[in-house]
Each structure stands twice: as structure tokens, then as C-alpha cells.
Amino acid sequence: YPRRMDVMGGSAAALRAFCELCRRMPPGPLGKAIVESLRHEGAVDCVEQVFCVFSHYEDSTEMLEDAAAVHAQLSGVQALLTRLETEPATSLLRVAGLKALFEEGRLDPEFFSAHAAASAMEACERMVREANEYNETGKDAADPPIDTTRLHEVASLLSGLCRGRLHCMC
């Protein structure tokens, strides 16, 4: 049932909860083994399928956020940022992905390395600029403009979090 929203939404939420559980475990081999098992068994492929099938449905933002959080937990912040930047400016996945990064970083101060925090800030700036450019010039006359309000909000939250993280590292 890879195209049923309820099935894939439940799968993404369960994978996110499982990753969260692993993160909260005391450091040791068990948590690492579970995360490695999730990678090996195709959890990243599962969330990639969510991205491909549901990124254009307006009622899928929570599922996309869950899937993006799993992707970042298993593949890393930089991998998720790279994936988000392949999406068109109109993609709902961009907003959901930035929100997932913010939420994961808010819960775990160690989630962002200095490099990842700087990359996230740059990605936020670039995605906001691309959405604004799309609204100004890049769209067909028949296409409606993008509502950039939520993108601006989430990008601002994530940039602020990353800026604070970088400040704490100095």
C-alpha cells in the first residue's frame, strides 16, 4: 500500500518515533545497531517514497515532516538539505523539511554540527530567495503564486536556531 496516505503517514510517524527513541537511549552499541538496522532495511527508501508520492498534496505536510525528520536522522542534515534543494520552489516538501530540521535541532542541541548549521542557514536563504523569484518572474501566467509566508516563518526559525548553535560553539 505504498500509495495510501494513511499507511505511509503511519509508517513515517512510526519511523520518526523509533528514531526519537534511539536518540534518547544512553550512548552505546544498541542505539547504533538499531539505527544501522533501519538504514540497512530501507527506512530511507521508505521516506524517499513518501517524498516522491506525496510532496504535492497540501494535506500531507505532517507526513512529509515526519519523513524528513527520519531522513535527517538516518542520512544526516546535509543529505536532507541536498534533497530539499532538488525540489522545485513550489514544493511543500521544502517547508516540511525545514520544519523537521528545526524540530529535531530544538529537541537535540547536538543535532547540528557547525558545518550543518551553516549549510542549513544558507539553504534557508536560498529557498526563500527562489520562492520569491518564482513569484516575481519564474512562473507561468496560469500558475498561482506560492504562499511564501510559512516558508519564511520556518526558514526564520531554523536560521535562528542554527545561528544560536554556531554562537554557542564559539
Side-chain angles (χ1 to χ4, degrees):
Y1 301 97
R3 297 200 183 274
R4 285 198 43 187
M5 189 176 283
D6 59 337
V7 171
M8 295 307 287
S11 298
L15 286 169
R16 186 176 191 177
F18 206 59
C19 287
E20 178 66 26
L21 176 67
C22 292
R23 185 171 57 201
R24 291 180 185 208
M25 293 175 78
L30 180 59
K32 290 178 183 178
I34 293 171
V35 168
E36 190 54 43
S37 179
L38 287 171
R39 285 186 190 117
H40 180 71
E41 294 299 325
V44 175
D45 293 336
C46 178
V47 298
E48 186 64 38
Q49 189 170 13
V50 170
F51 294 164
C52 292
V53 175
F54 298 104
S55 65
H56 59 282
Y57 290 101
E58 296 215 9
D59 58 345
S60 68
T61 56
E62 187 175 329
M63 175 180 22
L64 291 171
E65 182 183 329
D66 287 340
V70 171
H71 194 289
Q73 286 288 338
L74 298 179
S75 299
V77 172
Q78 195 62 49
L80 178 60
L81 289 171
T82 299
R83 177 64 176 84
L84 295 178
E85 290 183 347
T86 66
E87 289 291 310
T90 56
S91 176
L92 299 171
L93 179 55
R94 284 184 163 198
V95 174
L98 295 180
K99 172 96 172 11
L101 287 173
F102 169 75
E103 292 297 340
E104 295 301 309
R106 185 178 62 81
L107 291 172
D108 179 6
E110 302 299 316
F111 186 70
F112 287 99
S113 66
H115 177 72
S119 293
M121 290 171 58
E122 291 171 8
C124 287
E125 183 180 315
R126 196 167 29 258
M127 286 184 215
V128 167
R129 184 177 62 249
E130 288 172 2
N132 290 336
E133 288 172 359
Y134 173 86
N135 280 343
E136 292 169 6
T137 61
K139 63 182 177 57
D140 293 333
D143 292 336
I146 303 169
D147 179 7
T148 58
T149 304
R150 186 68 179 144
L151 177 63
H152 283 269
E153 290 171 350
V154 173
S156 178
L157 287 169
L158 179 56
S159 292
L161 179 77
C162 291
R163 194 177 298 82
R165 177 78 177 122
L166 289 171
H167 180 73
C168 289
M169 291 177 174
C170 294

